[in-house]
């Protein structure tokens, strides 16, 4: 009788564990091959959609379904998903799968519910994810400083998917920068030690991204600064800064320049990119793209906050670049644009002010949730938990920053990473609070 009763649970556990492995493989694929990996499958079921649908099926068999909306961020996400569906379905007849494709900026949030349910159902899975990321960190910092510049140099020679013309490896600098930031956070917060060679490769990789992308530069610098402010003690900070300092000095003395794209890797280029973020430069390309973004964002604010699309936005499915008059060919992947280079403006333009308000409340509530968990762990002396909350928050913030300058959450390459981190953060907070409640009180 006991065997009959336990078999279904074992089956559910195996299914959830297998799915977690599948999730990690997909995340690895997105991080290493970018948009090229996203085209595995056949329309409308590419690898990201398969991951989502199988995840929902597995989630329904776990015991953690109710945990998905037990926190304020989870509840707000559910409400936002309903709102986005209301602004998507009316346009499906007109725009077909373009409407569904545009809606994934929020609809991939269903993966956050999947992750919450799986981890809350079996907290040991959270530890498995952290350990797996340690292996990913070493692998990524070993491979990507070679793969990324080779992709930039040999882009035209890379084989493409027959039906779509997309290279098998298609990496954007912001995507790569986010993961370099994640690895640096993992190392500086003490979850994994890197030898000097790997630290040097990490510095080189971050410099490559910073020279190529201003958004990528901010996505690296800001989260690292916040993490070090919250957890100032780091054994690997001194060697990392030492390697970075020596690299800069050598580059200045030898006047080194490495040409890996339209922008050279040099100290001058890094300084120019930093200056263009804070003001104007003498570089027409940098200032031009900045002004183009601002003009488009101003127009979106004009027809939503101050215009006729205040309540409803333009909906999901319409090509915003065409309709707003800002269509250009994306310099990174040669594709025409559908959305502005800012996820927040995309939400505002498509879901109106109510949708944007829900989006802002969602981001804010998750940030508060994570900071409260961090402060609680620090107050209780649980240093590992505190560092984990900082890691998850800053990694997630890196994606948010990149999404403020590029088309990021609108695709699965970082969109799925974003929502997975969102779900892991909520699950970790719930698991930690349960752990505190179950601790035996000290005897009087």
């Amino acid at each position: 009788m006991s065997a009959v009763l336990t078999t279904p649970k074992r089956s559910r556990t195996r299914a959830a564990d297998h799915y977690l492995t599948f999730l990690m493989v997909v995340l690895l694929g997105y991080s290493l091959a970018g948009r090229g990996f996203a085209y595995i499958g056949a329309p409308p079921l590419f690898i990201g959609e398969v991951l989502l649908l199988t995840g929902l099926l597995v989630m329904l068999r776990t015991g953690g379904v109710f945990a998905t909306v037990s926190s304020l961020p989870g509840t707000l996400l559910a409400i936002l998903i309903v709102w986005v569906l209301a602004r998507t379905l009316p346009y499906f007849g007109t725009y077909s799968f373009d409407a569904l494709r545009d809606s994934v900026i929020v609809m991939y949030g269903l993966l956050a519910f999947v992750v919450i349910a799986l981890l809350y159902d079996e907290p040991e899975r959270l530890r498995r994810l952290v350990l797996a990321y340690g292996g990913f960190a070493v692998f990524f910092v070993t491979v990507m400083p070679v793969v990324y510049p080779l992709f930039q140099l040999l882009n035209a020679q890379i084989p493409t998917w027959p039906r779509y013309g997309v290279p098998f490896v298609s990496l954007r600098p912001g995507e790569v920068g986010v993961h370099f930031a994640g690895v640096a956070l993992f190392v500086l917060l003490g979850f994994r030690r890197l030898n000097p060679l790997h630290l040097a490769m990490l510095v080189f990789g971050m410099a490559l991204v910073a020279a190529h992308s201003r958004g990528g530069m901010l996505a690296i610098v800001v989260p690292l600064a916040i993490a070090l402010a919250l957890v100032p003690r780091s054994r690997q900070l001194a060697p990392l800064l030492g390697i970075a300092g020596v690299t800069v000095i050598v580059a200045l003395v030898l006047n080194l320049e490495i040409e890996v794209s339209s922008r050279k890797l040099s100290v001058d280029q890094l300084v120019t990119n930093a200056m263009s973020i804070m003001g104007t430069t003498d570089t027409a390309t940098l200032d031009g793209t900045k002004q183009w973004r601002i003009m488009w964002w101003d127009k979106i604010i004009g027809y939503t906050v101050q215009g006729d699309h205040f309540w409803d936005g333009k909906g999901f499915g319409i090509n915003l670049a065409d309709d707003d008059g800002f269509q250009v060919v994306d310099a990174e992947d040669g594709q025409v644009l559908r959305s502005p280079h800012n996820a927040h403006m995309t939400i505002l333009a498509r879901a109106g002010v109510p949708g944007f308000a829900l989006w802002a409340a969602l981001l804010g509530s998750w940030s508060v949730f994570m900071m409260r968990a961090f402060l609680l762990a620090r107050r209780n002396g649980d240093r590992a938990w505190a560092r984990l909350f900082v890691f998850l928050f800053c990694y997630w913030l890196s994606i948010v920053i990149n999404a403020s300058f590029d088309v990021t959450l609108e695709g699965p390459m970082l969109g799925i990473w974003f929502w997975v981190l969102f779900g892991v953060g909520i699950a970790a907070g719930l698991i930690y609070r349960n752990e505190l409640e179950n601790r035996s009180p000290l005897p009087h």
Side-chain angles (χ1 to χ4, degrees), residues 21-98:
T21 301
F22 177 42
L23 173 64
M24 289 189 288
V25 169
V26 172
L27 291 175
L28 177 64
Y30 283 133
S31 66
L32 296 180
R35 191 160 169 262
F37 183 83
Y39 275 84
I40 294 177
L45 293 179
F46 292 105
I47 187 70
E49 286 67 43
V50 172
L51 179 73
L52 175 59
L53 293 176
T54 55
L56 292 174
L57 293 175
V58 171
M59 179 185 73
L60 295 176
R61 301 182 65 191
T62 69
V65 175
F66 292 108
T68 59
V69 291
S70 64
S71 64
L72 179 58
T75 301
L76 288 173
L77 175 57
I79 296 172
L80 178 59
I81 287 174
V82 172
W83 181 263
V84 169
L85 278 175
R87 302 302 306 132
T88 301
L89 296 180
Y91 300 98
F92 182 76
T94 303
Y95 299 108
S96 186
F97 287 105
D98 281 344

Side-chain angles (χ1 to χ4, degrees), residues 124-204:
E124 180 63 22
R125 293 182 185 128
L126 175 61
R127 181 174 178 273
R128 182 183 166 196
L129 277 180
V130 174
L131 291 175
Y133 191 86
F136 166 81
V138 175
F139 184 73
F140 187 84
V141 83
T142 302
V143 172
M144 194 51 64
V146 177
V147 171
Y148 180 64
L150 283 177
F151 164 73
Q152 293 293 332
L153 293 170
L154 304 175
N155 188 17
Q157 283 73 47
I158 298 175
T160 60
W161 289 101
R163 291 183 60 183
Y164 313 106
V166 175
F168 289 156
V169 177
S170 181
L171 299 166
R172 298 173 71 96
E175 297 167 9
V176 177
V178 162
H179 295 306
F180 274 126
V183 171
L185 287 164
F186 202 74
V187 170
L188 291 176
L189 290 169
F191 290 105
R192 183 77 188 225
R193 292 184 64 86
L194 294 182
N195 60 43
L197 176 59
H198 281 134
L199 287 175
M201 296 183 75
L202 177 59
V203 169
F204 176 67

Side-chain angles (χ1 to χ4, degrees), residues 2-18:
S2 60
V4 174
L5 292 175
T6 56
T7 298
K9 180 171 178 25
R10 279 202 209 100
S11 176
R12 291 196 300 270
T13 299
R14 282 198 301 269
D17 289 339
H18 291 330

Side-chain angles (χ1 to χ4, degrees), residues 82-318:
V82 172
W83 181 263
V84 169
L85 278 175
R87 302 302 306 132
T88 301
L89 296 180
Y91 300 98
F92 182 76
T94 303
Y95 299 108
S96 186
F97 287 105
D98 281 344
L100 299 181
R101 178 174 65 174
D102 290 339
S103 71
V104 299
I105 187 173
V106 169
M107 298 309 296
Y108 276 146
L110 291 169
L111 276 168
F113 291 149
V114 173
V115 170
I116 294 168
L118 263 61
L119 299 188
Y120 190 79
D121 182 55
E122 178 50 72
E124 180 63 22
R125 293 182 185 128
L126 175 61
R127 181 174 178 273
R128 182 183 166 196
L129 277 180
V130 174
L131 291 175
Y133 191 86
F136 166 81
V138 175
F139 184 73
F140 187 84
V141 83
T142 302
V143 172
M144 194 51 64
V146 177
V147 171
Y148 180 64
L150 283 177
F151 164 73
Q152 293 293 332
L153 293 170
L154 304 175
N155 188 17
Q157 283 73 47
I158 298 175
T160 60
W161 289 101
R163 291 183 60 183
Y164 313 106
V166 175
F168 289 156
V169 177
S170 181
L171 299 166
R172 298 173 71 96
E175 297 167 9
V176 177
V178 162
H179 295 306
F180 274 126
V183 171
L185 287 164
F186 202 74
V187 170
L188 291 176
L189 290 169
F191 290 105
R192 183 77 188 225
R193 292 184 64 86
L194 294 182
N195 60 43
L197 176 59
H198 281 134
L199 287 175
M201 296 183 75
L202 177 59
V203 169
F204 176 67
M206 292 190 291
L208 279 173
V209 171
H212 196 175
S213 167
R214 291 168 294 181
M217 175 186 286
L218 283 177
I220 292 171
V221 173
V222 174
L224 290 179
I226 292 175
L228 290 174
L230 294 174
V231 185
R233 296 179 181 177
S234 173
R235 293 181 179 179
Q236 295 225 277
L237 177 60
L240 185 66
L241 291 178
I243 291 171
V246 170
T247 302
V248 170
I249 293 172
V250 171
L252 284 172
V253 171
L254 300 180
N255 194 26
L256 289 178
E257 290 186 350
I258 302 175
E259 191 162 353
V260 293
S261 67
S262 57
R263 299 177 190 174
K264 297 178 180 179
L265 173 57
S266 66
V267 175
D268 287 343
Q269 183 65 62
L270 294 174
V271 172
T272 301
N273 283 1
M275 290 177 61
S276 71
I277 295 171
M278 297 178 287
T280 59
T281 68
D282 295 329
T283 306
T285 303
L286 293 176
D287 290 341
T289 56
K290 180 179 177 181
Q291 188 62 30
W292 172 80
R293 286 185 175 96
I294 292 173
M295 290 173 61
W296 193 355
W297 300 346
D298 284 344
K299 183 165 186 175
I300 291 171
I301 293 172
Y303 63 69
T304 53
V305 177
Q306 303 163 355
D308 296 336
H309 291 287
F310 181 93
W311 293 107
D312 56 355
K314 292 188 174 182
F316 292 84
I318 190 171

